Amino acid sequence: MSGAKDLITGVGIIRLPGYGTPSPEVPEASPIQTTLPTSAYGQTIPVVWGKARVPGAYIWVPPILTVTSTHTEWWDQITTTTSNMSCRLRFARPLVPNSTWTLRRLWSNGALIYDASQNYRKKGLNFRFYDGRSTQGRDPTMTKEEGTTNVSAHRGYIDIVIRDFDIQGFGAPPVFEAEVIQDGGSTVQTQNFLSFGGTVTQFLMAPVWDRQKLYCFDIGLAWYSIPAQRQYFFADVSTVGQVYFDSFRYSKALDRVVYLSAGTGVGPFRARMLDGSTGALMATSSVTADPTFCACLQDVTASKTLMVATAASGQFYCYQLNTSQAPTETVEQVYASGSGWNGYSTLQCVTPGGIVGGNAVFYLCADSDLVKISFTSEGLLASSSVIATLADPLRYAVFDDGDLVVWTDSATVSRVDGATGAIEYTKSVPYQIPDVAGRHLGAPDLHRLTEEFNFQTELTHGTSYFTDLGTGATRTVSGGLTVGSVYFYDGATNTLLAVNGASDIPMSIKFIAGDGDMRLLSDFLSDLMVYGGDFDPADVITENIDDLIQGAVIDITAGARDIARAVIEPYSIAMFER
């Protein structure tokens, strides 16, 4: 036999791993062509009105990063190569300056990778859309790469900045096309889930966005399919002596559900861990805690998960979920700070910061300080430090591409550099995130944010605010949550999850970009003469023109009069000039 251990069977030889198996050879990554399509010096940028599908021209591309990694699955060597490209694409120039445009669809080499009308986004696609407003700021992806003073705001153009898009399968930077719509607006679609067992307590929901599942709890454990909007599982769970529940979370690594419960609203609360597939009780903590306001869960290893929760007394706890000694499993409170930790009067929010060096990083909104804390996989406090102090008390924070975006009690939002603590921007927002004790906004670890943060008005329901995480700019959409419920937002599908208070079942709210399909030809002709031909609006009159068009892509260098004449000629409409 060879150096490897061979097992002779009736059908051949099985080579077992771990016995002299040679080191895997990592294949060389396919080379990426660097020639950029649809880009040429002197290329005319089209002018658009209404609705248009136009190709994008590359105007900025930093170095493309190719990474090859190999891992073992059973006895197979799996090699993965990614080539991540960031870029700025220019599609058009709006005919009407400072008009509102939305991105409806995006294609890459002819394949649809984004469709706002269907809430579809290709996995791994991250982008920021610009409609060329005179007030738009510099793109954060570009400033991080080039430096703020070296980047223009690129006002007056419809652009998209794509971040870390894997082009390995294309072999070269692909051709992008976009369907853009002027003043398309948005519609809000509300749908109740179909349920067959149990009800849902609004703050006992845990969406698992990348698996499109929603775990819920009340008299039992249930899970729902988010895209199908229906229930698929329910299990009775013994809750004898348990009346109050909090900090409901699901661990993907362990397939376990954890929550805190007690017989009274003042505690003592114990952590309980359930099997996520059967609802069976797997472990109960021996140590108790006070009622908690905000919690955050992170998987640290394949068998260990940490959950950090804050209490009203300025105290926080760390719980460890451990399945490494199966069939014996444990959930225990492994750390508890003192009341008024480090002299803070309130801890408003706890935010996940990922796994760094084997430790789980969390961020606390502690009075006016943004505090970074890290725990070992055993739940021991490894370090804590203040990374930024703001002028006003903090209310909420989310982790975005290594930085923190923070909201204060003075209706402002700031972006904090995660490495240096420098404030990158501070902007006023037209809403105020409430105190943690009366907040309907779900915890940061239960949202999936891409480019925007979503806030629902909690006193005057029915208005939705979307704040750009990179720039701090906020847009408003009429419609949204009309019942008082905790809610969770998914930026990848532009979907909100909440509970219908009338029936105590989950509901979804989808924000769908308007189609803007048909428009008056007379409106186009007026805009063409005013904005393309520099005529005074009082000098442009359209009469008896009731034809409808979808939109227009024009080369304004041809002259507004000539374009108008060419447009109306097929309609047998006369053009009279003084």
Side-chain angles (χ1 to χ4, degrees):
M1 288 189 179
S2 65
K5 185 174 181 179
D6 296 332
L7 177 64
I8 301 177
T9 70
V11 295
I13 298 178
I14 300 175
R15 189 176 297 271
L16 299 178
Y19 293 89
T21 303
S23 300
E25 294 185 4
V26 179
E28 186 174 340
S30 301
I32 297 295
Q33 300 293 326
T34 57
T35 302
L36 299 177
T38 67
S39 297
Y41 179 76
Q43 178 177 333
T44 301
I45 302 297
V47 176
V48 292
W49 182 92
K51 177 181 178 180
R53 176 171 173 171
V54 286
Y58 288 84
I59 64 170
W60 173 77
V61 181
I64 298 172
L65 178 64
T66 298
V67 176
T68 299
S69 60
T70 300
H71 67 281
T72 301
E73 291 184 6
W74 298 98
W75 49 77
D76 293 329
Q77 298 291 336
I78 307 298
T79 299
T80 303
T81 299
T82 59
S83 296
N84 289 338
M85 177 190 72
S86 296
C87 63
R88 188 175 191 120
L89 301 163
R90 176 147 299 163
F91 291 89
R93 182 164 62 88
L95 174 63
V96 181
N98 285 317
S99 51
T100 301
W101 289 77
T102 57
L103 175 67
R104 184 173 171 85
R105 294 185 179 94
L106 184 65
W107 292 266
S108 174
N109 278 3
L112 185 66
I113 59 176
Y114 176 78
D115 188 345
S117 65
Q118 301 297 322
N119 296 104
Y120 168 72
R121 179 193 297 254
K122 179 181 174 65
K123 184 177 181 180
L125 175 64
N126 295 293
F127 67 86
R128 182 165 280 108
F129 176 76
Y130 294 94
D131 62 1
R133 301 288 187 90
S134 61
T135 56
Q136 80 181 18
R138 298 175 176 89
D139 179 76
T141 300
M142 295 179 67
T143 57
K144 185 167 289 188
E145 180 74 26
E146 306 289 350
T148 302
T149 58
N150 298 321
V151 174
S152 165
H154 293 276
R155 294 166 181 165
Y157 296 96
I158 295 176
D159 291 352
I160 294 176
V161 175
I162 295 177
R163 185 178 77 247
D164 295 335
F165 184 64
D166 185 10
I167 62 171
Q168 180 63 36
F170 299 106
V175 175
F176 288 95
E177 292 180 282
E179 182 183 79
V180 291
I181 299 172
Q182 178 184 357
D183 301 322
S186 296
T187 58
V188 179
Q189 183 183 84
T190 301
Q191 180 69 46
N192 289 329
F193 283 34
L194 294 177
S195 178
F196 62 76
T199 57
V200 177
T201 300
Q202 59 170 298
F203 50 85
L204 299 179
M205 300 170 61
V208 186
W209 295 110
D210 57 349
R211 297 183 182 180
Q212 290 292 280
K213 295 173 71 174
L214 173 65
Y215 287 86
C216 302
F217 191 80
D218 192 359
I219 61 172
L221 177 67
W223 70 260
Y224 296 76
S225 165
I226 296 176
Q229 298 183 332
R230 64 174 59 238
Q231 184 179 1
Y232 282 99
F233 173 80
F234 177 79
D236 284 314
V237 176
S238 174
T239 57
V240 176
Q242 304 170 47
V243 180
Y244 293 86
F245 303 87
D246 204 351
S247 303
F248 181 78
R249 293 295 189 278
Y250 172 77
S251 164
K252 291 189 293 184
L254 278 55
D255 186 29
R256 294 293 182 264
V257 169
V258 62
Y259 61 90
L260 304 180
S261 65
T264 69
V266 296
F269 281 75
R270 294 183 186 275
R272 288 173 169 81
M273 183 168 68
L274 308 179
D275 187 305
S277 299
T278 66
L281 179 65
M282 306 304 294
T284 302
S285 66
S286 60
V287 181
T288 62
D290 290 337
T292 58
F293 278 149
C294 189
C296 176
L297 181 142
Q298 291 194 92
D299 292 321
V300 185
T301 69
S303 59
K304 295 178 181 179
T305 294
L306 299 182
M307 182 174 74
V308 172
T310 65
S313 58
Q315 184 177 20
F316 65 89
Y317 309 95
C318 181
Y319 293 87
Q320 185 201 53
L321 289 64
N322 191 340
T323 61
S324 64
Q325 303 299 319
T328 301
E329 300 183 7
T330 60
V331 55
E332 284 295 347
Q333 182 193 117
V334 290
Y335 179 85
S337 74
S339 297
W341 176 71
N342 278 10
Y344 294 118
S345 60
T346 178
L347 303 177
Q348 286 283 319
C349 181
V350 53
T351 302
I355 309 303
V356 180
N359 291 344
V361 176
F362 299 85
Y363 293 90
L364 296 173
C365 290
D367 294 344
S368 298
D369 289 344
L370 182 62
V371 182
K372 177 181 178 179
I373 59 175
S374 64
F375 289 90
T376 68
S377 62
E378 300 302 322
L380 302 178
L381 183 63
S383 65
S384 67
S385 60
V386 176
I387 67 167
T389 300
L390 278 71
D392 301 297
L394 311 185
R395 285 289 175 85
Y396 197 84
V398 298
F399 190 74
D400 180 57
D401 194 26
D403 296 338
L404 280 299
V405 182
V406 183
W407 286 259
T408 73
D409 70 352
S410 296
T412 63
V413 60
S414 299
R415 187 177 182 97
V416 179
D417 188 296
T420 66
I423 307 298
E424 298 183 3
Y425 67 71
T426 296
K427 300 285 182 66
S428 295
V429 290
Y431 56 86
Q432 176 62 66
I433 295 182
D435 181 88
V436 64
R439 185 183 299 162
H440 287 148
L441 173 63
D445 63 321
L446 296 180
H447 302 289
R448 180 170 65 170
L449 304 181
T450 51
E451 291 81 35
E452 294 181 312
F453 166 83
N454 176 267
F455 181 79
Q456 300 289 305
T457 49
E458 300 184 9
L459 295 177
T460 55
H461 295 291
T463 302
S464 302
Y465 296 101
F466 293 85
T467 296
D468 189 302
L469 298 175
T471 66
T474 299
R475 63 185 178 93
T476 303
V477 173
S478 178
L481 192 62
T482 57
V483 296
S485 170
V486 174
Y487 58 91
F488 312 97
Y489 177 67
D490 178 32
T493 61
N494 219 9
T495 300
L496 202 72
L497 293 181
V499 172
N500 186 325
S503 55
D504 291 332
I505 59 174
M507 62 185 291
S508 68
I509 300 174
K510 295 183 178 180
F511 301 92
I512 302 173
D515 54 25
D517 274 342
M518 305 305 294
R519 301 161 189 269
L520 287 171
L521 172 61
S522 58
D523 290 342
F524 167 63
L525 294 172
S526 296
D527 286 344
L528 177 65
M529 301 308 293
V530 172
Y531 299 103
D534 202 25
F535 281 81
D536 189 291
D539 294 335
V540 180
I541 301 174
T542 58
E543 295 180 354
N544 300 321
I545 303 177
D546 55 4
D547 299 274
L548 298 175
I549 62 173
Q550 287 191 336
V553 180
I554 57 180
D555 177 6
I556 202 66
T557 60
R561 293 173 185 267
D562 294 336
I563 295 171
R565 184 179 288 106
V567 168
I568 64 178
E569 186 175 3
Y571 297 91
S572 298
I573 301 172
M575 179 175 177
F576 298 95
E577 301 183 46
R578 294 196 186 110

